[in-house]
Amino acid sequence: MTKKVDPRAYSRLVVDGIKQTPARAMLRAVGFKDADFAKPQIGIASTWSNLTPCNTHIDVLAHEAAAGANSAGGKAVLFNTITVSDGISMGSPGMRYSLVSREVIADSIETVAGAEGFDGIVAIGGCDKNMPGCAMAIARLNRPAVFVYGGTIRLGAKRRDIISVFEAVGSRAAGKISDAELLEVERTAIPGPGSCGGMYTANTMASAIEALGMSLPGSSAQEAVGDQKHNDCRRAGEAVVKLTKAGIRPRDIMTRKAFENAITVIIALGGSTNAVLHLLAMAHAAEVRLGLDDFTRIGKRVPVLADLRPSGRYAMSELIAIGGIQPLMKRLLSAGLLHGDCLTVTGRTMAQNLAKVRDYPADQVIVRPLSNPIKKDSHLVVLYGNLAPEGAVAKITGKEGLRFEGRARVFDGEEQATQSILAGKVKAGDVVVIRYEGPKGGPGMREMLSPTGAIMGLGLGNKVALLTDGRFSGGTHGFVVGHVTPEAAVGGPLAAVRNGDRIAIDAERRTLQLDVGASELQRRLRTRKSRSPYATRGVLAKYARSVSSASKGAVTDALAD
């Protein structure tokens, strides 16, 4: 017997009956007609703003999604949430608000949809944190929903992108380019709307959400500008109305097997370390058990296949030109590496969605065959040891080598480190340690793109390692280890490291070791000086008090469990 589905399960409580006459009166003032009260209400969550190219076009996309929902028999209601720009705030105190914004976005979408009684949601994200923020809200609400990616940016002159600019800063410090050449890079690297152009965090998370089943097929591999993305938004609006009528909810889709699919796809694409943090948080929101060791388990059998930036040569727009991620997913499915029976927002399974997908052109060089991978197992390596008892996350493609041992150069914060790197004080053989940048200690777990970009620009990329309780941009490459837990601010071993200590990073053994005895390590931790909090009021202080460890996804509602 087929279950009876009420597509107006939530809006009915807000607009039906004599008691709700005042609510209908309010809604008439914003454009509702008599017939609209009998339709499923679809909230269109827009992350539009003109403070970043990632989101500057999303207002237009939101209206396209609304048009699609209306044409399918729903009543669309548009609302906005915030976004911040990592690329603009990077290297500054403002970057502390980046990961915080993920929680604010999730909270705000949940708040609006919960208060207004929307029956379905289309959420449109275009930058690193608003995508997982949208997905977290969708999972919490568990109302029919589709996520839409705002799309990737086109390459700038000479195939440049935002990472070209960060690395040019290091090149200028090394005297490799002039002020005029640096200005030319600045003026030409970012040509228009869209998210950063490599397999950085935005494109990684878009791909992960599509692999999870929460976007329409192809949504993650489209440029921000053009009819393809407009059509994607209209179809998303139509699809969510169908989901309300079919009674398909996000947690029917966001299962443990679906998260395993997402992990598999981001490994094959060579995606960002931030995906570890965000997928843990999204799984927490969906009440799915997922941990760091799941990335290791899956990573042992999934190879890196895509030669994409930052470690590779190609941009997302160039992957789009040969077919996007769907042919890659079909290859993974055929190899038994994806769960084809997972439900998706189309109402069909992953295998059904991929059935008619064509393979890549025979002459393409961006995606390797499974028989000839870039790396035979995952580039996302979870490390444990006396420096990271609860784990750390490294991004090791193999190009940097698989082991690094060197002397510690310790910095209590990103600014100190970047200044010293640009001043030439960091030398080959150093392990740069940047601490007190974790979720609580930062607070906000800033990304270390400025110091890593400077290291690459100076030509030290394969001669220096960097270790932090902060995060890395998806654009970071080199021998880097982040998410070190417990973080220094809560008494993690990173707080005990001193200049000159020997540190060994071993990607094959998956270890992170400080060459200091256990008793000496404990003595140092007992006698360490406590640090004053960066913020005692406002959102940063609230975040620092409530945020969980990075090994748990840095979520702020874990205390409610």
Side-chain angles (χ1 to χ4, degrees), residues 58-356:
I58 285 179
D59 55 338
V60 176
L61 300 185
H63 284 283
E64 293 282 6
N70 290 336
S71 69
K75 174 57 180 174
V77 182
L78 278 76
F79 67 100
N80 261 76
T81 184
I82 66 157
T83 194
V84 301
S85 171
D86 292 2
I88 295 170
S89 63
M90 194 75 71
S92 78
M95 187 64 191
R96 289 186 170 89
Y97 290 90
S98 170
L99 189 58
V100 177
S101 76
R102 185 191 74 181
E103 306 303 301
V104 176
I105 291 161
D107 291 351
S108 65
I109 294 174
E110 178 191 356
T111 298
V112 174
E116 300 302 314
F118 296 141
D119 300 298
I121 301 159
V122 176
I124 309 172
C127 199
D128 295 12
K129 307 309 169 301
N130 56 49
M131 287 190 278
C134 288
M136 289 162 65
I138 285 168
R140 291 179 192 170
L141 288 159
N142 200 30
R143 301 180 189 186
V146 176
F147 174 79
V148 177
Y149 177 40
T152 192
I153 198 169
R154 293 172 177 170
L155 283 170
K158 300 179 182 178
R159 300 183 66 251
R160 289 174 179 144
D161 63 13
I162 184 60
I163 306 306
S164 308
V165 188
F166 278 95
E167 294 183 0
V169 172
S171 296
R172 179 66 192 92
K176 297 178 181 178
I177 62 174
S178 66
D179 286 341
E181 289 171 311
L182 179 61
L183 181 61
E184 194 262 337
V185 173
E186 175 189 330
R187 286 174 168 170
T188 61
I190 314 295
S195 299
C196 299
M199 191 46 63
Y200 311 144
T201 303
N203 282 317
T204 297
M205 291 315 301
S207 301
I209 294 171
E210 181 177 333
L212 192 64
M214 287 305 301
S215 294
L216 293 176
S219 181
S220 69
Q222 295 169 346
E223 290 184 339
V225 178
D227 290 342
Q228 192 178 35
K229 181 49 67 181
H230 287 211
N231 291 336
D232 181 42
C233 291
R234 282 194 295 274
R235 291 189 300 112
E238 295 166 0
V240 79
V241 175
K242 293 178 182 177
L243 291 173
T244 65
K245 296 175 180 178
I248 297 174
R249 299 171 184 268
R251 295 191 193 182
D252 298 328
I253 297 169
M254 300 172 74
T255 62
R256 181 174 170 83
K257 289 201 296 184
F259 277 99
E260 291 182 349
N261 283 349
I263 294 170
T264 297
V265 169
I266 63 167
I267 291 170
L269 290 168
S272 167
T273 54
N274 278 317
V276 178
L277 192 75
H278 296 324
L279 285 172
L280 290 174
M282 289 158 56
H284 170 80
E287 299 187 51
V288 169
R289 291 179 62 86
L290 193 73
L292 285 176
D293 292 342
D294 289 310
F295 289 83
T296 298
R297 174 178 56 83
I298 295 167
K300 288 179 179 179
R301 60 187 179 87
V302 178
V304 179
L305 299 176
D307 188 12
L308 295 171
R309 297 179 181 184
S311 299
R313 295 174 290 172
Y314 298 98
M316 190 65 175
S317 58
E318 293 168 315
L319 179 64
I320 291 168
I322 63 165
I325 74 167
Q326 290 273 298
L328 170 64
M329 291 172 66
K330 188 167 185 177
R331 286 185 181 183
L332 294 169
L333 178 66
S334 298
L337 296 173
L338 285 183
H339 301 290
D341 58 342
C342 287
L343 186 64
T344 74
V345 292
T346 65
R348 301 187 298 274
T349 66
M350 180 69 70
Q352 289 171 328
N353 288 345
L354 294 172
K356 296 183 180 179

Side-chain angles (χ1 to χ4, degrees), residues 400 404-405 426-431 455 458-465 479:
E400 311 85 356
F404 193 103
E405 184 172 350
V426 170
K427 307 296 183 184
D430 285 347
V431 178
I455 286 169
L458 288 163
L460 293 171
N462 60 351
K463 301 171 185 175
V464 168
F479 211 110

